[in-house]
Amino acid sequence: MDNKIEVPHQVATLMYRLVEREYRCYMVGSSVRNLLIKEPMGDIDLITDAEIERLEVIFEGYRILEQDASKGEMVVMAGGIPVMISRFRCGKDPDGAPIFGEILTEELEQRDFTVNTICADLNGNIVDPFDGVSCLEQKPYILKAVGEGTPADGESEEPQETDSSITRDPMNILKALALMGSGDYVISTRTSESIKENAESILTVPPPQLRAAFEEILAAKRVSDVFLEFKEVIVTLFPELSAAIDYDQLSIFQTYTLYEHLCKSVGCSYPDIPLRYALLFHGAGKPDCQAINADGAATYYGHAERSMILARRAMERLEAPKELIAEVSFLITHHDMGELLDEQEAAALLDRFSAPDIRSMLLFACANLRAKSPDNEQKAAALKKLSETLAVHPRRPETR
């Protein structure tokens, strides 16, 4: 891994203005990380020990897009590139306002993961007190919470232990799961343990913010892996799913436990939010509806309606839009229908349902079948093909 990056000259010009006045200034965060791993740079952040009043003077003549003295930050246009410049911080006061500091490691301790604490100076030299670079040496990258290790602090005689970013801010739990879901990161053992131990802290996050963070995970590529590994977080968020953990469905058509099946069905689907919500909850009501026949097999009459009720309860708690709740409720209520359809039957249903609704039923059935057993692949593929026919012919699929 390189120990140096090329700082864009427009950004270097801003940094030079600070350094020549004997202020410290570093490029930090995702832009440095992305340059190290040869990905698009993205948003650019600079941190400095200069006060906001001095920044106003130093960058007089530049176009200032935004400025917030209470946060000690401004956004400056540099050759067509917006650059966020923030003053060093060392924490927050009881009201949540930033406390400004003078020490780089104290600023970096406030960040989420070590890969986002990597800095670069004016000349592009890497400054890495929390050893974030080592987490980027091979893909998938390693995600470690800030505070998991002891920083190599070059600004004080003794290195300082820090609180874990997981215990400090519950949003970092959800950020970690979203990054894991992207497929680009694996979460370190110690950070995983901390996430599971502190799962209940996510309930302190306001519902709209919590739902937005969860839906980022829900749309992720490796969502089923996240749900299976961090069931403590998912069940904390949705206690309606707690009975599904280790639940034996007592069916020859099901290979997995109920929770495993629900998670895998989400992962087998397109990254459509209503569809994935419906798949996550479509069997949640089964434990309440189980009946055992004489052969020892289970039936679940009425479980679709019960699952729909549980899904609505959970989504209302997260203050989800009524339209989203209605769409998820529709899919759960009709989730068995898609598996039974062929092209003619789907065409006949156009008198009752819209083509997008029928297509969603088919995509639901496709994911649900794949998650039940690998033996269902042929049937699932046929349903997927039928759903594509509906997409091409939105009013009515052609019949053979």
Side-chain angles (χ1 to χ4, degrees), residues 256-294:
Y256 308 103
T257 67
L258 177 56
Y259 183 76
E260 288 172 338
H261 169 70
L262 297 177
C263 296
K264 288 177 181 293
S265 69
V266 174
C268 287
S269 73
Y270 286 103
D272 175 80
I273 293 299
L275 180 61
R276 287 192 166 183
Y277 263 121
L279 284 161
L280 180 60
F281 281 98
H282 77 274
K286 279 189 171 183
D288 296 330
C289 302
Q290 185 189 72
I292 307 297
N293 63 25

Side-chain angles (χ1 to χ4, degrees), residues 22-25 47-51 86-88 101-103:
E22 299 186 353
Y23 291 108
R24 284 173 294 161
C25 181
I47 51 175
T48 179
D49 56 351
E51 298 178 351
S86 305
R87 187 178 171 190
F88 287 172
E102 304 295 332
I103 300 174

Side-chain angles (χ1 to χ4, degrees), residues 372-390:
K372 286 180 180 179
S373 170
D375 297 335
N376 292 330
E377 186 60 37
Q378 185 175 357
K379 173 65 173 175
L383 292 176
K384 181 177 181 293
K385 185 176 180 180
L386 179 54
S387 74
E388 292 168 352
T389 303
L390 282 168

Side-chain angles (χ1 to χ4, degrees), residues 27-56:
M27 190 172 168
V28 69
S30 60
S31 56
V32 178
R33 179 196 69 211
N34 289 356
L35 287 171
L36 282 170
I37 60 178
K38 314 301 184 187
E39 291 188 357
M41 183 170 52
D43 295 337
I44 301 174
D45 291 281
L46 300 181
I47 51 175
T48 179
D49 56 351
E51 298 178 351
I52 189 71
E53 293 80 10
R54 291 297 301 152
L55 294 176
E56 292 174 354

Side-chain angles (χ1 to χ4, degrees), residues 30 41 54 127 132 138 145 149 159 163 192 196 216 283 334 364 384:
S30 60
M41 183 170 52
R54 291 297 301 152
V127 180
Q138 62 183 17
D163 293 331
S192 293
K196 294 171 183 178
E216 185 176 353
H334 298 88
F364 186 110
K384 181 177 181 293

Side-chain angles (χ1 to χ4, degrees), residues 7 11-16 19 25-27 120-125:
V7 177
V11 180
T13 300
L14 295 181
M15 298 176 73
Y16 179 77
V19 172
C25 181
Y26 301 91
M27 190 172 168
D121 65 15
L122 171 62
N123 297 312
N125 298 308

